Amino acid sequence: MLNFSELYPCSNQARMAHSLDGMWKFRFDPEEKGLQEGWQHKLPHPISMPVPASFADFFTTKEERDYCGDFWYETEVFVPREWEKQELEIRFGSITHRSFVYCNGNLAVTHEGGFLPVVANVTDYVKFGEVNTFVIKANNELNEESLPCGTTTVLSDGRKLAKPYFDFFNYSGIQRSVWLVSKPKESIEDFSVEYELNGEDAVVHYQIMTNGNHEVSFELFDEAKQQVSKSTGGQGSVIVPKAHLWNVGDAYLYQAVMRIWDGETLIDEYSSKIGIRTVKIVGKEIQINGKAVYLKGFGKHEDFEVIGRGFNWGVLKRDFECMKWIGANCFRTSHYPYAEEWYQFADEEGFLIIDEVPAVGMMRSTRNFADAGTGQFTRFFETPTVPNLLKAHLQAVEEMIVRDKNHPSVIAWSLFNEPETTSEESKDYFTTIFEAARALDPQKRPMTGAFEKNSQPEICKCYQLCDFICLNRYYGWYIKGGPELVDARKAFLVEMNKWKDKNLNVPFVFTEFGTDTMPSEHKLPSIMWSQEYQNEYLDMNFEIFDQFDFIQGELVWNFADFQTTEGIMRVNGNKKGIFDRARQPKSAAFVLKNRWESMD
Ligand SMILES: O=C(O)[C@H]1O[C@@H](Oc2ccc([N+](=O)[O-])cc2)[C@H](O)[C@@H](O)[C@@H]1O
């Protein structure tokens, strides 16, 4: 059980949410002296820093861009006296990767994990009717007992350097929106909904968690703001006659309004949009509202020029416009839960999301892409750090499912990306993760994880845990690229026939396949890294996908080019985007558009 509410802030007659986004103060703390020197009260000689944003790409020196270690943020905010009778929280969409939140010098909360909300109750520390100081001490070092996995080295000049076991830049900071939330002492802490379709009608089972005993009401309003059902009690079921279902590319959202009452007097109110739909795996099909859907889309990243992984509504808008233009219906939040606004907008747009926990880098070989091809350095789950890693992983799974469980867009949980999966230890580890996850989702969504190429059908011990199987495969890129494409195709077919022979009777989705492609390069005949090669590679993959009826989705790696750590395998980042980093199409975008539009 989480000891804080994950509910997204809202304002109404009982609650106020005040945005703290804007220019904050900032300081690096390479000597870790901040606490002794009292920085939690006030940062000495700070610089300015925008929130939300990653700090890295604002700077003009490598020392600052690549900074690894402790860093601090500060802001001041006036808290009105009218809020005195309320509980006051400061809520961060995330802070990478671990954080200490101080209010007027008092430690209010600590949090581990950089991609899920950090909520601090500051009621006892805040001065009402005055200006208050919030200071955050954060740390972005990587290790093998927290997520995502990596290590931290020390350079000869004493500087720490993050060494990710994963292929994206270790962007850090306060990368998502910050809210000051005032809510009643007795309040709604969480709610959940699940659905049953009954002919034209829908049954909505709801549960409302509060921290008190007063009467609770639950109401549903349609898009015309007409009340369609009402009930009282902390849990129950309401019928929505002739329910307007939420569908792929055709979203419909009801407004759920929950209230706590003391007789006729309102104590608290919380409202949220919900979408009525079911998700089920039936044999080889992924079914939404009882109808099979083929997933078309991308693995993405939260990544953009200048702001790094910082949330930005403009980037979100452009990404959705590009995804609609190309005929996509789905994306995976590779390799971490995204800012909540992504899910809210996907709910509005009728997009499907595979929601992924930040369990990436669980195979040491990926620290060096040259090693990955060999499959050496496995046995990740036999080290003494595993019990702590498991704890962090379970916590992230719980926080993700609690946060995102009511979004109609979320159709599945991805509990890992490309870990080692062939040892008994990996099987035990992921059995624990899957069992915990299954107990948490009221909607019982399908569970999966993304398997890399060493997870072959004859040796993988973890695919059995999944309701549908996600494969990341690079036949024609990491394996037999360029002139060997015909052999890549053959090897790919050999593997797919082995999966077919297992007769698993579950859907498979390709969650990664792609080629690094420079928008500048054209070549006839094609050559690896040219736009023409990306098209040929995609055509080969599609020809294979279309041969197997259990393949029920294709999410290309990646939606757009994105920043990574520097190295001999990456040219200023990963270039597997179908769009470049500025969100302009490579020629493969037109190949995908043709295919996906013709599949409708
Ligand atoms: O490499 C990529 O572009 C993407 O592929 C995946 O990592 C791999 C790295 C090396 C090999 N290999 O050498 O076979 C296979 C896969 C990751 O899930 C993803 O985060 C990354 O960006």
Side-chain angles (χ1 to χ4, degrees):
M1 270 293 281
L2 304 182
N3 55 5
F4 57 92
S5 170
E6 289 256 14
L7 291 180
Y8 194 81
C10 71
S11 293
N12 57 43
Q13 44 187 332
R15 298 170 165 240
M16 274 308 290
H18 172 70
S19 170
L20 297 184
D21 293 356
M23 196 62 95
W24 286 45
K25 294 173 181 155
F26 183 84
R27 254 198 89 159
F28 290 123
D29 184 12
E31 292 146 53
E32 296 170 23
K33 63 180 183 191
L35 214 49
Q36 290 111 285
E37 296 192 355
W39 295 9
Q40 65 274 25
H41 298 279
K42 189 167 190 42
L43 293 186
H45 314 294
I47 62 170
S48 59
M49 185 58 66
V51 170
S54 310
F55 61 72
D57 290 347
F58 298 128
F59 291 109
T60 53
T61 72
K62 291 191 184 197
E63 288 73 14
E64 292 162 298
R65 180 188 65 199
D66 298 338
Y67 180 83
C68 181
D70 287 354
F71 52 93
W72 296 68
Y73 281 83
E74 180 194 313
T75 195
E76 290 189 333
V77 53
F78 176 79
V79 177
R81 198 167 279 298
E82 296 85 80
W83 291 358
E84 200 149 19
K85 290 199 178 66
Q86 299 244 8
E87 290 288 302
L88 206 70
E89 287 174 352
I90 186 167
R91 184 193 198 269
F92 302 81
S94 67
I95 306 172
T96 25
H97 293 288
R98 51 199 62 82
S99 50
F100 298 76
V101 178
Y102 297 90
C103 173
N104 298 323
N106 303 288
L107 181 62
V109 86
T110 67
H111 187 264
E112 173 63 44
F115 299 96
L116 287 155
V118 182
V119 183
N121 189 315
V122 293
T123 317
D124 293 343
Y125 308 124
V126 92
K127 291 176 280 183
F128 293 90
E130 289 180 44
V131 171
N132 291 261
T133 306
F134 291 98
V135 175
I136 289 80
K137 177 187 173 217
N139 173 281
N140 66 347
E141 290 172 39
L142 301 174
N143 56 53
E144 292 185 9
E145 44 190 13
S146 61
L147 304 176
C149 296
T151 185
T152 302
T153 56
V154 183
L155 301 172
S156 59
D157 63 5
R159 280 186 295 136
K160 287 180 180 162
L161 185 70
K163 290 275 197 181
Y165 297 167
F166 50 85
D167 188 31
F168 51 91
F169 192 83
N170 188 37
Y171 279 123
S172 307
I174 301 178
Q175 303 179 129
R176 295 177 187 166
S177 290
V178 187
W179 298 89
L180 196 62
V181 177
S182 130
K183 61 185 196 186
K185 302 263 175 217
E186 182 173 348
S187 67
I188 294 158
E189 301 199 303
D190 198 9
F191 80 99
S192 67
V193 279
E194 52 178 307
Y195 311 108
E196 224 178 292
L197 305 184
N198 186 4
E200 294 214 297
D201 304 341
V203 188
V204 179
H205 304 289
Y206 73 89
Q207 192 166 4
I208 302 167
M209 280 63 95
T210 75
N211 60 355
N213 308 316
H214 281 98
E215 183 74 291
V216 175
S217 68
F218 178 84
E219 290 170 86
L220 281 181
F221 296 87
D222 65 15
E223 286 188 354
K225 302 204 187 294
Q226 296 301 307
Q227 193 190 78
V228 295
S229 42
K230 181 176 172 132
S231 175
T232 50
Q235 64 182 68
S237 303
V238 295
I239 291 171
V240 181
K242 289 206 166 56
H244 196 142
L245 300 185
W246 186 95
N247 261 305
V248 191
D250 184 17
Y252 189 92
L253 298 172
Y254 290 90
Q255 183 88 2
V257 179
M258 293 150 269
R259 295 193 174 100
I260 307 180
W261 297 96
D262 181 4
E264 299 283 280
T265 313
L266 181 77
I267 296 179
D268 190 20
E269 172 176 322
Y270 187 80
S271 65
S272 174
K273 289 179 181 174
I274 62 163
I276 301 176
R277 57 98 189 87
T278 61
V279 186
K280 269 201 189 89
I281 302 295
V282 181
K284 293 169 192 154
E285 291 182 349
I286 301 168
Q287 295 188 352
I288 311 284
N289 300 331
K291 268 182 56 195
V293 278
Y294 188 91
L295 308 184
K296 304 175 291 181
F298 303 97
K300 286 177 75 11
H301 265 298
E302 292 182 299
D303 174 277
F304 200 64
E305 294 284 352
V306 183
I307 55 175
R309 214 173 303 302
F311 176 75
N312 178 275
W313 277 111
V315 176
L316 172 147
K317 173 68 179 167
R318 174 69 184 180
D319 285 8
F320 271 94
E321 288 308 312
C322 289
M323 288 194 287
K324 284 192 284 183
W325 168 82
I326 209 168
N329 61 19
C330 180
F331 61 93
R332 173 173 64 127
T333 68
S334 40
H335 294 306
Y336 37 82
Y338 289 3
E340 288 147 296
E341 292 81 359
W342 282 94
Y343 305 78
Q344 294 164 3
F345 207 67
D347 290 347
E348 301 277 351
E349 294 279 355
F351 264 78
L352 307 174
I353 291 178
I354 299 178
D355 203 1
E356 188 159 279
V357 79
V360 58
M362 295 178 160
M363 181 184 298
R364 276 177 210 90
S365 63
T366 44
R367 87 174 106 182
N368 176 346
F369 284 87
D371 293 340
T374 68
Q376 289 166 3
F377 305 107
T378 54
R379 321 224 80 86
F380 190 84
F381 296 99
E382 290 167 41
T383 56
T385 49
V386 167
N388 283 340
L389 179 65
L390 180 64
K391 231 179 91 194
H393 197 155
L394 288 168
Q395 184 199 329
V397 167
E398 179 173 11
E399 290 179 11
M400 173 179 77
I401 296 179
V402 170
R403 189 192 74 161
D404 296 337
K405 62 182 178 300
N406 294 320
H407 289 288
S409 54
V410 174
I411 57 157
W413 309 107
S414 169
L415 303 181
F416 56 73
N417 182 70
E418 300 201 338
E420 196 274 303
T421 65
T422 59
S423 66
E424 278 301 319
E425 287 78 3
S426 67
K427 180 180 160 186
D428 293 345
Y429 180 95
F430 286 112
T431 302
T432 308
I433 295 288
F434 274 68
E435 277 173 6
R438 285 189 196 285
L440 286 165
D441 181 12
Q443 295 190 4
K444 304 276 169 251
R445 290 172 182 84
M447 307 269 166
T448 188
F451 293 89
E452 61 86 55
K453 66 148 195 314
N454 292 296
S455 302
Q456 288 287 316
E458 58 279 31
I459 53 170
C460 176
K461 293 196 170 73
C462 297
Y463 71 80
Q464 299 85 344
L465 297 166
C466 298
D467 298 308
F468 68 99
I469 296 173
C470 292
L471 300 180
N472 297 352
R473 289 297 182 273
Y474 290 92
Y475 292 100
W477 187 253
Y478 292 117
I479 302 175
K480 299 184 195 296
E484 298 178 64
L485 190 62
V486 317
D487 290 358
R489 179 182 171 279
K490 262 188 121 171
F492 199 177
L493 269 177
V494 168
E495 181 184 345
M496 291 321 296
N497 277 310
K498 283 194 248 167
W499 287 112
K500 181 183 174 192
D501 291 344
K502 287 206 163 270
N503 277 313
L504 296 173
N505 198 34
V506 296
F508 280 60
V509 171
F510 280 91
T511 36
E512 287 187 24
F513 58 106
T515 64
D516 286 273
T517 304
M518 299 301 282
S520 56
E521 298 308 310
H522 281 287
K523 197 85 169 176
L524 181 68
S526 80
I527 190 168
M528 290 172 85
W529 297 84
S530 71
Q531 301 223 32
E532 287 71 19
Y533 188 71
Q534 192 173 33
N535 294 345
E536 280 171 37
Y537 167 96
L538 289 174
D539 284 341
M540 183 277 276
N541 275 260
F542 294 148
E543 186 247 323
I544 296 205
F545 298 168
D546 293 342
Q547 292 181 38
F548 298 90
D549 63 354
F550 56 85
I551 296 177
Q552 290 294 321
E554 49 195 54
L555 307 183
V556 185
W557 193 254
N558 187 283
F559 170 74
D561 294 347
F562 58 93
Q563 196 51 258
T564 66
T565 312
E566 307 175 51
I568 54 166
M569 301 283 282
R570 296 290 176 255
V571 188
N572 185 15
N574 186 307
K575 300 292 181 193
K576 293 194 184 72
I578 296 302
F579 295 86
D580 66 15
R581 206 180 184 206
R583 274 50 176 177
Q584 295 304 327
K586 298 180 192 174
S587 81
F590 300 91
V591 173
L592 289 176
K593 184 173 167 64
N594 271 330
R595 173 176 168 83
W596 288 347
E597 284 183 345
S598 74
M599 286 168 95
D600 285 333

